[in-house]
Amino acid sequence: MALPPLVEPAAELSVDEIRRYSRHLIIPDVGMDGQKRLKNAKVLAVGAGGLGSPTLLYLAAAGVGTLGIIDFDTVDESNLQRQIIHGVSDVGTPKAESAARSIAEVNPLVNVVVHNTALDRDNVKEIFSQYDLIVDGTDNFATRYMVNDAAVLLGKPYVWGSIYRFDGQASVFWEEHGPCYRCLYPEPPPPGMVPSCAEGGVLGVLCASIGSIQVNEAIKLITGIGEPLVGRLMVYDALEMEYRKIKVRKDPNCALCGDNPTVTDLLEDYEDFCGAVSEEAQEAITGSTISVRELKDWQDSGKDIFLVDVREPAEWEINRIPGATLIPKGEILSGEALAKFPQDKQIVLHCKSGVRSAEALAALKTAGFKDAVHVQGGIVSWVNLIDPSLPSY
């Protein structure tokens, strides 16, 4: 479905701009009019990470006049495998500022607006209202739902992308012309069901594949060319090198954009809506949580514990807490590994940050291991507070 251009064209292009964008100008579908629309467009990238990196670089190169960047994180060495907008010298600096410097090198004609802050319920509407189009490159469900809800409430289109290991997805959500994210995913998955990229990994180049699709869709929306992915979900399998398109219809029962919406404003707490951990896990960890310092004290005192790492084998190869035994969470939840747990030792579970170990703890307690505990903060806290010589990821 072709849509009208999102923005009006700018008054003119300078001589420098004509030279810079000449390869666009000779494409009949873009031409002078399309490039002027790009110049007049204001686009916000939510996140300057894996997807935000190629998105920002190519939007800048394409000549989008105003680029907003919102990201509160700092550059970490583990980001450099995929977040190509940052370099070694940027480690430790705010991602939004690092991205702005890279954009200036790519195209100094672009006006860059830095929002070095966390996107939240209090600022999302005010920030979104400054832009014509939102490009969402976030990696957590709480922010995805908030971005969607704010965009629908403000009548803004946004381009969405998601990546995990070798798989990627992309779509365009615009309530005025098609479904919203809630039509596709009415509810978030159960906590712990879908690992984050930090937990499950992502092929670095996948960011470029999905990020370039997002930029392509943004350009089509701004200039009014082609058929945007409104009402269609693009699914990419990098291992099979296969693209599939799935139709997504507007859901008349959607809580946000349906015929009788029940969500008429931003939620009070998106983290609570998506759930950091399940209710069962929350109940299980209450009174059964120890810190990494307590774990170290137990080890140093010779306490008879059975320390279990519930991460995946690939993560185990990167780093591990001394004395731990690897039993992946899936084997615990399925019951397959329950026979491996001794009845006469203090069972201690840990994962990377504490989410997966909480879910595994709930399963163990249900199976009768009432005295089992889990480690708050997981191996991330162990590296930060106990043994910084271990590699992080």
Side-chain angles (χ1 to χ4, degrees):
M1 174 178 62
L3 297 174
L6 187 59
V7 300
E8 293 298 315
E12 61 181 5
L13 297 180
S14 68
V15 174
D16 287 342
E17 288 170 330
I18 291 174
R19 280 198 295 261
R20 176 179 285 268
Y21 308 127
S22 62
R23 297 305 186 271
H24 273 176
L25 300 179
I26 60 178
I27 301 174
D29 289 345
V30 180
M32 188 69 75
D33 182 77
Q35 195 62 49
K36 288 180 179 179
R37 293 184 192 276
L38 289 169
K39 178 179 179 178
N40 209 30
K42 298 178 180 179
V43 179
L44 174 69
V46 182
L51 290 175
S53 292
T55 293
L56 286 164
L57 291 175
Y58 270 107
L59 286 173
V64 170
T66 299
L67 272 179
I69 312 168
I70 181 161
D71 200 312
F72 69 96
D73 201 3
T74 57
V75 181
D76 182 80
E77 190 175 17
S78 65
N79 301 147
L80 304 182
Q81 162 257 8
R82 64 201 177 281
Q83 299 180 18
I84 58 171
I85 204 166
H86 312 297
V88 173
S89 62
D90 299 313
V91 171
T93 64
K95 285 185 179 180
E97 296 176 12
S98 168
R101 290 192 294 270
S102 296
I103 289 170
E105 286 294 316
V106 170
N107 189 349
L109 304 179
V110 173
N111 174 39
V112 181
V113 181
V114 172
H115 303 276
N116 189 12
T117 185
L119 191 68
D120 58 32
R121 188 186 190 279
D122 296 328
N123 63 21
V124 61
K125 285 185 178 180
E126 188 274 328
I127 292 174
F128 278 18
S129 65
Q130 303 172 39
Y131 297 91
D132 304 304
L133 177 65
I134 315 299
V135 180
D136 180 19
T138 55
D139 63 354
N140 67 87
F141 288 101
T143 307
R144 287 174 185 168
Y145 278 96
M146 182 175 63
V147 167
N148 175 78
D149 294 358
V152 170
L153 293 169
L154 294 172
K156 301 279 185 180
Y158 78 98
V159 184
W160 170 77
S162 175
I163 51 176
Y164 177 67
R165 292 186 175 170
F166 300 97
D167 300 319
Q169 299 180 1
S171 189
V172 173
F173 297 110
W174 194 355
E175 187 270 338
E176 182 180 344
H177 298 283
C180 76
Y181 183 77
R182 284 180 181 263
C183 295
L184 178 61
Y185 298 114
E187 295 181 351
M193 180 69 71
V194 181
S196 67
C197 290
E199 294 174 334
V202 62
L203 187 69
V205 72
L206 183 67
C207 302
S209 299
I210 300 302
S212 65
I213 291 174
Q214 290 183 278
V215 174
N216 190 59
E217 293 305 302
I219 291 174
K220 286 156 61 179
L221 289 167
I222 292 166
T223 60
I225 62 176
E227 295 190 13
L229 285 173
V230 175
R232 295 179 295 166
L233 175 69
M234 177 70 75
V235 179
Y236 174 53
D237 182 339
L239 285 181
E240 297 295 329
M241 192 50 66
E242 178 180 79
Y243 287 92
R244 293 183 295 121
K245 282 187 291 187
I246 301 171
K247 286 187 177 180
V248 182
R249 302 189 185 279
K250 194 175 183 69
D251 182 2
N253 298 313
C254 177
L256 182 68
C257 71
D259 297 336
N260 298 291
T262 56
V263 178
T264 57
D265 200 354
L266 296 175
L267 302 182
E268 289 295 332
D269 192 335
Y270 282 90
E271 292 287 347
D272 183 60
F273 171 66
C274 292
V277 295
S278 66
E279 291 183 10
E280 294 81 2
Q282 187 63 53
E283 182 179 348
I285 64 177
T286 303
S288 299
T289 299
I290 66 170
S291 68
V292 290
R293 295 194 187 280
E294 288 178 285
L295 172 59
K296 185 66 165 61
D297 289 343
W298 283 6
Q299 289 181 324
D300 291 345
S301 67
K303 185 178 177 70
D304 194 13
I305 67 173
F306 183 60
L307 178 61
V308 178
D309 186 334
V310 305
R311 298 176 301 159
E312 295 301 309
E315 296 173 275
W316 169 264
E317 292 297 325
I318 297 172
N319 59 15
R320 66 193 71 168
I321 296 176
T325 298
L326 176 66
I327 305 179
K329 183 191 77 171
E331 296 180 15
I332 298 173
L333 299 187
S334 70
E336 175 186 349
L338 293 180
K340 298 179 181 179
F341 289 85
Q343 298 284 347
D344 58 346
K345 291 185 178 183
Q346 171 67 63
I347 295 171
V348 181
L349 306 179
H350 85 82
C351 62
K352 181 177 182 180
S353 60
V355 175
R356 284 175 286 176
S357 58
E359 300 293 337
L361 181 65
L364 276 187
K365 284 183 174 290
T366 300
F369 296 90
K370 302 299 184 183
D371 295 329
V373 298
H374 93 126
V375 181
Q376 183 177 12
I379 201 165
V380 170
S381 292
W382 182 272
V383 172
N384 290 336
L385 300 175
I386 306 298
D387 188 0
S389 67
L390 287 177
S392 59
Y393 68 102

